[in-house]
């Protein structure tokens, strides 16, 4: 049993707190992970607000990188010392989705069997089956995707974001939307997930990428990730402007990264004939829109929702880490600030205000960090006074 610190939500809409938690050694099929970094995601705040369930207390955090410190019986796909990205789609290989070759839809994903607890023995419900706002966490071994590439210490914060929000946006374009080189893409809503969708469109080779938002700062950020045009929907009609920017036809693919009725309607109407639209923004319960069936038939194409960007971590994470290392995917651009475990409540406020893409909690020194600091110290001592560094 391991006694560590973790960020816990004890009740609906209560401030989160750093608590001492107990993490068991891994049992069969499980892995114990020393957490390096964890992004502050909107989903974590949904747990705080009671939007996911009422199984308090929750151990928050799920968007993480880490190092495997122990494995349980029968675990062969990872080993102690492996650097990993955590995911919440540990496929079972046996459900009806897996059996028909669509494991990214797995309907019976694995989590750890044993419970992490508070010091008094109260069981914790880990967010998305991970719970990684903690120094250590216990997960199913399949929730660990090995990082084969050598990374610099500061890069673990960026690649850990593939565990949820960034992957959701990129996957909505690459997987669900199946964008092709030369196509046009419009993204409505340019927060973290929308910005990731824009980055995914650029990575896929889209030639016209239209970013739509109410906030000029978010639109400027969207341009950094690859948007070729921006539309402030306070000042311009987004549907008409998207059509103007695509030869009068509409975009081949439109992503709704907001998830409210007006943006869904805009995405539906901004498509070209036979175009696709993908809903990746999470709607509030009960959100609805009257669908004109004659237009559904007349426009053709498809209307889809993206579950985690239809992501298969074993396939997608390594590929995207490679694209990041090659300079084709700016994951560093999503890391707005680096904070500690005690700063999560403040980070939620910044997230709600829209002033950050991602606050990332740095929980432990990344591999190589100590060596890097030692080298810098030695260089500082060795350098003559006044020498350029």
């Amino acid at each position: 049993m391991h006694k560590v610190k973790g960020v816990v939500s004890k009740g609906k809409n209560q401030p989160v707190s750093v608590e001492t938690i107990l993490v068991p050694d891994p049992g069969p099929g499980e892995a114990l992970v020393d957490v390096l970094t964890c992004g502050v995601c909107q989903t974590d705040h949904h747990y705080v607000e009671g939007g996911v369930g009422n199984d308090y207390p929750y151990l928050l955090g799920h968007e993480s990188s880490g190092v495997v410190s122990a494995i349980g019986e029968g675990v062969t796909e990872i080993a102690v010392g492996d650097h990993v990205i955590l995911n919440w789609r540990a496929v079972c290989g046996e459900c009806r989705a897996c059996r028909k070759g669509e494991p990214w839809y797995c309907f019976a994903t694995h989590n750890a069997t044993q419970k992490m607890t508070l010091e008094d023995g109260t069981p914790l419900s880990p967010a998305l089956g991970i719970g990684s706002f903690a120094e250590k966490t216990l997960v199913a071994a399949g929730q660990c995707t090995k990082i084969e590439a050598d990374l610099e210490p500061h890069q673990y914060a960026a690649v850990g974001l593939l565990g949820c929000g960034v992957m959701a946006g990129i996957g909505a374009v690459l997987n669900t939307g199946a964008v092709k080189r030369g196509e046009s893409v419009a993204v409505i809503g340019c927060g973290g997930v929308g910005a990731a969708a824009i980055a995914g469109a650029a990575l896929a080779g889209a030639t016209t990428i239209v970013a739509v938002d109410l906030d000029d700062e978010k639109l400027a950020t969207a341009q950094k990730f690859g948007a070729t045009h921006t539309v402030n929907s306070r000042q311009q009609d987004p549907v008409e402007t998207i059509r103007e920017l695509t030869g009068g036809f509409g975009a081949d693919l439109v992503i709704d990264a907001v998830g409210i009725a007006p943006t869904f309607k805009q995405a539906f109407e901004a498509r070209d004939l036979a175009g696709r639209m993908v809903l990746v923004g999470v709607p509030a319960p009960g959100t609805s829109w009257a669908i004109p069936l004659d237009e559904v038939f007349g426009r053709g194409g498809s209307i889809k929702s993206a579950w985690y960007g239809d992501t298969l971590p074993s396939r997608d994470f390594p590929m995207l880490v490679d694209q990041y290392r090659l300079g084709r995917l700016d994951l560093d651009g999503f890391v707005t600030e680096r904070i500690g475990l005690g700063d999560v409540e403040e980070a939620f406020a910044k997230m709600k205000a829209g002033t950050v893409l991602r606050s990332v909690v740095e929980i432990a020194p990344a591999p190589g960090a100590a060596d890097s600091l030692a080298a810098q110290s030695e260089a500082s001592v060795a350098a003559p006074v006044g020498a350029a560094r």
Side-chain angles (χ1 to χ4, degrees), residues 154-227:
H154 73 276
Q155 293 180 308
Y156 285 89
V159 301
L161 299 181
L162 292 173
C164 188
V166 170
M167 188 68 248
I170 294 174
V173 172
L174 298 186
N175 299 329
T176 318
V179 71
K180 304 177 183 68
R181 288 188 298 276
E183 287 195 313
S184 56
V185 177
V187 178
I188 300 175
C190 297
V193 172
I198 288 164
L203 182 64
T207 51
T208 300
I209 304 173
V210 184
V212 180
D213 204 281
L214 300 168
D215 187 318
D216 284 333
E217 288 189 13
K218 290 183 179 179
L219 292 172
T221 299
Q223 287 182 302
K224 294 177 182 178
F225 285 108

Side-chain angles (χ1 to χ4, degrees), residues 109-131:
T109 53
H110 292 309
N111 297 131
T113 302
Q114 300 181 88
K115 285 287 189 180
M116 296 178 277
T117 69
L118 295 174
E119 277 193 291
D120 64 5
T122 302
L124 291 163
S125 301
L128 293 178
I130 295 177

